[in-house]
Amino acid sequence: MYYDKIIAPTIEDATREAKRKYGQDCFILDTKEEKVFQDGIWGIFGKKKTRCTLTCSVPDSYFKRQKCLDMLNQKNENLKSSEVDNSNTVVKQTRNVEDVEKKTEKSSDVNDDNLEMRLMEKIDKIIERRMSIQAAKSESSDVINKNLNELREILDNNEFTSLFIEELLESLRRTLSITQIENRLEVQKYAYNYLENCISKVIGSDEHLLSENEKSVMVLVGPTGIGKTTTLAKIAANVKMKEKKGVEFITMDGYRIGAREQIERYAKLIGIKCTYTDTSEELNKTILMSKESLILIDTTGRSQQDGIKLAEMREFLRLKAILPNFVLAVSATTKPKEVRNIFKNFSIFDYDQIIITKNDESDTIGSILSCAVEFKKKIMFCTNGQKVPSNIEKVSKSSLMQKITGFAPEVYLENLEF
């Protein structure tokens, strides 16, 4: 037996405190009231109050039950570090303990050793159940990670940027349920549809090239050696032969060896005029005097790293007579790490659309698609070789999706168009 004294303002308060502290099994042995001084200075001038002292006895069964509960709490603490969903399990454990306590209070004749044994059995069952739930969740988590990692690898192999990949995965986690993410095909189908939706938003048009009532000016800008001159020749030939509209070349590229001769040769083959200008005044004058419907300006190639040269060229191309349409040319063979710098640094020209060159020389265009989505630019054409005028085409959702590989065959079959 264990004895304790409870001090409280009234006998009722002392009794409640004893029951709260030691349960209903404690037995009140004695109570005593005495007058004390409180709130005074060194016990002087204080108010006289009543203090009740209660003596109670506590049976040994209380401490054995408390020992079992302490063991349960200790085991709970040991499992906290590896628990995935702790809140629901703790509630279940608390309910189990409460049930045990209720049964203990109702059955006063139960042997203390049996009580301890049954409590330990309850603890073992709770731990076993928790471990089973945790194992099931761990297995599910392994499947989810495997599917997401496979998708990440597919997108990475297609050279999509890390920013684009993370946004896709975040959208997937928000949209699909855990059961759906555990299904490999569901994950890949969602990603495929996500890509189709993104690509549909970046499909451009060539309608701005030709205006009904006034001339149009298109300025093609981009890094050196990506095929700007050949691309302009393809556009000029198609406009002249298919649209039956007048076209004129203006070239600014007087630095690269043979550049001027190359575009003049294209102009002669197509049957159009070609003019070389090296000052902004000459450029504006040539545009004003031209009678053709479409003027195509071939610029000098500049590195995306050369900010000063890009700024100088932008000032050179600040036309007074007409607002030009700037178009960025990006090669499909450009390293993924450099593509974003091209999009960003050439933004000084306020371009809205891009042309993908050398599309036939690369298996992937994920980095260009990622940047087109990020910078909200439209893709107008793709060039697929050196032949003029045949190796150029307007882009479509299907033509761009064909460049994305690695998904399960079932995904492609489901989206196959006949």
Side-chain angles (χ1 to χ4, degrees), residues 63-79:
F63 295 101
K64 289 187 177 181
R65 183 167 66 252
Q66 191 65 35
K67 179 181 178 182
C68 291
L69 294 177
D70 292 339
M71 292 174 65
L72 174 60
N73 292 332
Q74 183 61 40
K75 287 184 177 292
N76 284 339
E77 290 296 325
N78 293 338
L79 287 171

Side-chain angles (χ1 to χ4, degrees), residues 195-236:
L195 292 172
E196 277 193 324
N197 183 53
C198 288
I199 287 176
S200 64
K201 294 178 181 179
V202 298
I203 301 298
S205 170
D206 62 345
E207 294 178 356
H208 68 284
L209 287 180
L210 296 173
S211 176
E212 292 293 334
N213 300 320
E214 57 184 20
K215 69 182 71 173
S216 299
V217 178
M218 172 183 160
V219 183
L220 192 61
V221 297
T224 304
I226 60 171
K228 293 191 299 297
T229 302
T230 306
T231 299
L232 283 179
K234 294 172 184 176
I235 294 173

Side-chain angles (χ1 to χ4, degrees), residues 186 251 309 320:
E186 287 292 332
T251 180
K309 293 295 183 183
K320 300 175 182 178

